[in-house]
Amino acid sequence: MSDTQGSSRPSVGRQKQPKDNEGRMPLSDHLRELRNRLLICLAALLVTTVLGWVIHNWLIDQLTGPACRINGVQGYGQHTKSCPNGLLVNNGVLAPLSFTFKISMMAGLILASPVWTYQLWAFVAPGLYKKEKKYGLSFTAAAVPLFLVGAYLAYWIFPKALGILVSFNPPGFSLAFSGAEFLDFFIRMVMVFGLSFELPLLLVALNFLGILSAAKLRSWWRGIIFIIFVFSAVATPTGDPLTMSVLAVPICVLFLLALGVCTLHDRAKARRKAVEDPDSLLDVDVASSLDLTPSDVRAETVSAEEFAHAEPMVYHPDEDEAAGVPAARGERMDDIT
């Protein structure tokens, strides 16, 4: 479907690609553009993963430190300087290699995040309007620090969550965490906390797109806070009140901040709409105001010279007969003229 210039949506991908007669980019160019950007992302991920492999010992020490330093807990694993309580073990021949590779891969994904985030944005941005680009770039810039704050909060609460879990170990029983289980538990907490911090940003995005109003959010605030606490209780791996509260309270604060942003946005939009169309704020039962401003008729006035040279109006009785007008009426009209 072709549109007039200025109203059609730009094509996704690089703008310098050849286009067809309707101004659209062929599908093959879209796929070629996607392939090139994916190759750039994979190359960056490969480089950062190698870097993560180089520093994997330091990363493992930072990750396993909370579990290896829990007081009063002893495992049946080897007691080392980095893990004096012997709580962590690797089961299987390939377990050490798999654990180290997962740590390096996770570090590479985090370090390469600026590259793959930019490649994703560069692929989608040409297909957006100017206003959508501004909103999308702002939301992307806010999403990254929110996720990092949630991830750091998960790392901070991680030792306390482990301490609560291992406190249920009966006396006389040894305890051990396999490397894969320990890493999966940590990644789950990071993802839950990080993505949960994006929920208020999603509400702001829906408000800016005109899908959700601030008035609706204010009317739902009790139910939303209740859902946040239920979600926190279900999503946290431990399910204890401390971990649940550590996740739920910041999300509630972010929700209130998002509600404030939505309220300010709706008020600003209402002020702009009131200036552009004052009648839009009236009730449906109230009549709109009339425009009593006299129109300028000078532009429609015909001068005497133009009137003299205008084509005279000629009456054709045949047209009236074709339209069903009696001939006698046409003759009377001739007599009158």
PDB file of all heavy atoms in Angstrom, residues 278-290:
ATOM      1  N   PRO A 278     -10.589  23.863  22.366  1.00  0.00           N
ATOM      2  CA  PRO A 278     -11.220  24.084  23.674  1.00  0.00           C
ATOM      3  C   PRO A 278     -12.481  23.259  23.882  1.00  0.00           C
ATOM      4  O   PRO A 278     -12.821  22.894  25.002  1.00  0.00           O
ATOM      5  CB  PRO A 278     -11.527  25.587  23.677  1.00  0.00           C
ATOM      6  CG  PRO A 278     -10.614  26.165  22.644  1.00  0.00           C
ATOM      7  CD  PRO A 278     -10.456  25.105  21.606  1.00  0.00           C
ATOM      8  N   ASP A 279     -13.212  22.952  22.802  1.00  0.00           N
ATOM      9  CA  ASP A 279     -14.459  22.203  22.934  1.00  0.00           C
ATOM     10  C   ASP A 279     -14.236  20.742  23.301  1.00  0.00           C
ATOM     11  O   ASP A 279     -15.182  20.039  23.662  1.00  0.00           O
ATOM     12  CB  ASP A 279     -15.257  22.269  21.632  1.00  0.00           C
ATOM     13  CG  ASP A 279     -15.743  23.687  21.343  1.00  0.00           C
ATOM     14  OD1 ASP A 279     -15.862  24.461  22.309  1.00  0.00           O
ATOM     15  OD2 ASP A 279     -15.976  24.009  20.160  1.00  0.00           O
ATOM     16  N   SER A 280     -13.001  20.248  23.201  1.00  0.00           N
ATOM     17  CA  SER A 280     -12.742  18.840  23.517  1.00  0.00           C
ATOM     18  C   SER A 280     -12.897  18.548  25.003  1.00  0.00           C
ATOM     19  O   SER A 280     -13.070  17.387  25.386  1.00  0.00           O
ATOM     20  CB  SER A 280     -11.322  18.470  23.068  1.00  0.00           C
ATOM     21  OG  SER A 280     -10.368  19.256  23.768  1.00  0.00           O
ATOM     22  N   LEU A 281     -12.829  19.578  25.850  1.00  0.00           N
ATOM     23  CA  LEU A 281     -12.949  19.375  27.292  1.00  0.00           C
ATOM     24  C   LEU A 281     -14.382  19.487  27.778  1.00  0.00           C
ATOM     25  O   LEU A 281     -14.639  19.300  28.972  1.00  0.00           O
ATOM     26  CB  LEU A 281     -12.083  20.408  28.030  1.00  0.00           C
ATOM     27  CG  LEU A 281     -10.586  20.382  27.688  1.00  0.00           C
ATOM     28  CD1 LEU A 281      -9.863  21.458  28.462  1.00  0.00           C
ATOM     29  CD2 LEU A 281      -9.997  19.024  27.981  1.00  0.00           C
ATOM     30  N   LEU A 282     -15.340  19.802  26.883  1.00  0.00           N
ATOM     31  CA  LEU A 282     -16.732  19.946  27.293  1.00  0.00           C
ATOM     32  C   LEU A 282     -17.370  18.590  27.524  1.00  0.00           C
ATOM     33  O   LEU A 282     -16.945  17.577  26.957  1.00  0.00           O
ATOM     34  CB  LEU A 282     -17.514  20.712  26.225  1.00  0.00           C
ATOM     35  CG  LEU A 282     -17.098  22.167  25.993  1.00  0.00           C
ATOM     36  CD1 LEU A 282     -17.909  22.760  24.850  1.00  0.00           C
ATOM     37  CD2 LEU A 282     -17.265  23.000  27.251  1.00  0.00           C
ATOM     38  N   ASP A 283     -18.400  18.589  28.356  1.00  0.00           N
ATOM     39  CA  ASP A 283     -19.169  17.368  28.575  1.00  0.00           C
ATOM     40  C   ASP A 283     -19.959  17.040  27.316  1.00  0.00           C
ATOM     41  O   ASP A 283     -20.255  17.911  26.489  1.00  0.00           O
ATOM     42  CB  ASP A 283     -20.115  17.557  29.771  1.00  0.00           C
ATOM     43  CG  ASP A 283     -20.752  16.244  30.188  1.00  0.00           C
ATOM     44  OD1 ASP A 283     -20.076  15.444  30.854  1.00  0.00           O
ATOM     45  OD2 ASP A 283     -21.937  16.048  29.839  1.00  0.00           O
ATOM     46  N   VAL A 284     -20.334  15.773  27.183  1.00  0.00           N
ATOM     47  CA  VAL A 284     -21.047  15.360  25.969  1.00  0.00           C
ATOM     48  C   VAL A 284     -22.419  16.010  25.862  1.00  0.00           C
ATOM     49  O   VAL A 284     -22.979  16.128  24.764  1.00  0.00           O
ATOM     50  CB  VAL A 284     -21.178  13.821  25.948  1.00  0.00           C
ATOM     51  CG1 VAL A 284     -19.827  13.162  25.779  1.00  0.00           C
ATOM     52  CG2 VAL A 284     -21.849  13.304  27.216  1.00  0.00           C
ATOM     53  N   ASP A 285     -23.003  16.437  26.986  1.00  0.00           N
ATOM     54  CA  ASP A 285     -24.329  17.059  26.960  1.00  0.00           C
ATOM     55  C   ASP A 285     -24.264  18.569  26.797  1.00  0.00           C
ATOM     56  O   ASP A 285     -25.308  19.228  26.758  1.00  0.00           O
ATOM     57  CB  ASP A 285     -25.082  16.727  28.258  1.00  0.00           C
ATOM     58  CG  ASP A 285     -25.333  15.239  28.402  1.00  0.00           C
ATOM     59  OD1 ASP A 285     -25.482  14.574  27.361  1.00  0.00           O
ATOM     60  OD2 ASP A 285     -25.362  14.748  29.544  1.00  0.00           O
ATOM     61  N   VAL A 286     -23.075  19.135  26.739  1.00  0.00           N
ATOM     62  CA  VAL A 286     -22.924  20.584  26.612  1.00  0.00           C
ATOM     63  C   VAL A 286     -22.617  20.915  25.162  1.00  0.00           C
ATOM     64  O   VAL A 286     -21.775  20.275  24.524  1.00  0.00           O
ATOM     65  CB  VAL A 286     -21.788  21.091  27.532  1.00  0.00           C
ATOM     66  CG1 VAL A 286     -21.606  22.601  27.373  1.00  0.00           C
ATOM     67  CG2 VAL A 286     -22.098  20.741  28.973  1.00  0.00           C
ATOM     68  N   ALA A 287     -23.350  21.940  24.655  1.00  0.00           N
ATOM     69  CA  ALA A 287     -23.160  22.351  23.269  1.00  0.00           C
ATOM     70  C   ALA A 287     -21.829  23.060  23.108  1.00  0.00           C
ATOM     71  O   ALA A 287     -21.374  23.784  23.993  1.00  0.00           O
ATOM     72  CB  ALA A 287     -24.297  23.269  22.832  1.00  0.00           C
ATOM     73  N   SER A 288     -21.184  22.820  21.985  1.00  0.00           N
ATOM     74  CA  SER A 288     -19.908  23.478  21.711  1.00  0.00           C
ATOM     75  C   SER A 288     -20.140  24.935  21.356  1.00  0.00           C
ATOM     76  O   SER A 288     -21.226  25.339  20.917  1.00  0.00           O
ATOM     77  CB  SER A 288     -19.189  22.768  20.572  1.00  0.00           C
ATOM     78  OG  SER A 288     -19.973  22.810  19.393  1.00  0.00           O
ATOM     79  N   SER A 289     -19.119  25.757  21.545  1.00  0.00           N
ATOM     80  CA  SER A 289     -19.227  27.183  21.259  1.00  0.00           C
ATOM     81  C   SER A 289     -19.224  27.427  19.762  1.00  0.00           C
ATOM     82  O   SER A 289     -18.649  26.663  18.985  1.00  0.00           O
ATOM     83  CB  SER A 289     -18.058  27.918  21.914  1.00  0.00           C
ATOM     84  OG  SER A 289     -16.827  27.404  21.418  1.00  0.00           O
ATOM     85  N   LEU A 290     -19.910  28.523  19.354  1.00  0.00           N
ATOM     86  CA  LEU A 290     -20.001  28.875  17.946  1.00  0.00           C
ATOM     87  C   LEU A 290     -18.904  29.858  17.588  1.00  0.00           C
ATOM     88  O   LEU A 290     -18.522  30.724  18.387  1.00  0.00           O
ATOM     89  CB  LEU A 290     -21.371  29.495  17.645  1.00  0.00           C
ATOM     90  CG  LEU A 290     -22.578  28.582  17.890  1.00  0.00           C
ATOM     91  CD1 LEU A 290     -23.856  29.342  17.626  1.00  0.00           C
ATOM     92  CD2 LEU A 290     -22.499  27.348  17.012  1.00  0.00           C
TER      93      LEU A 290
END
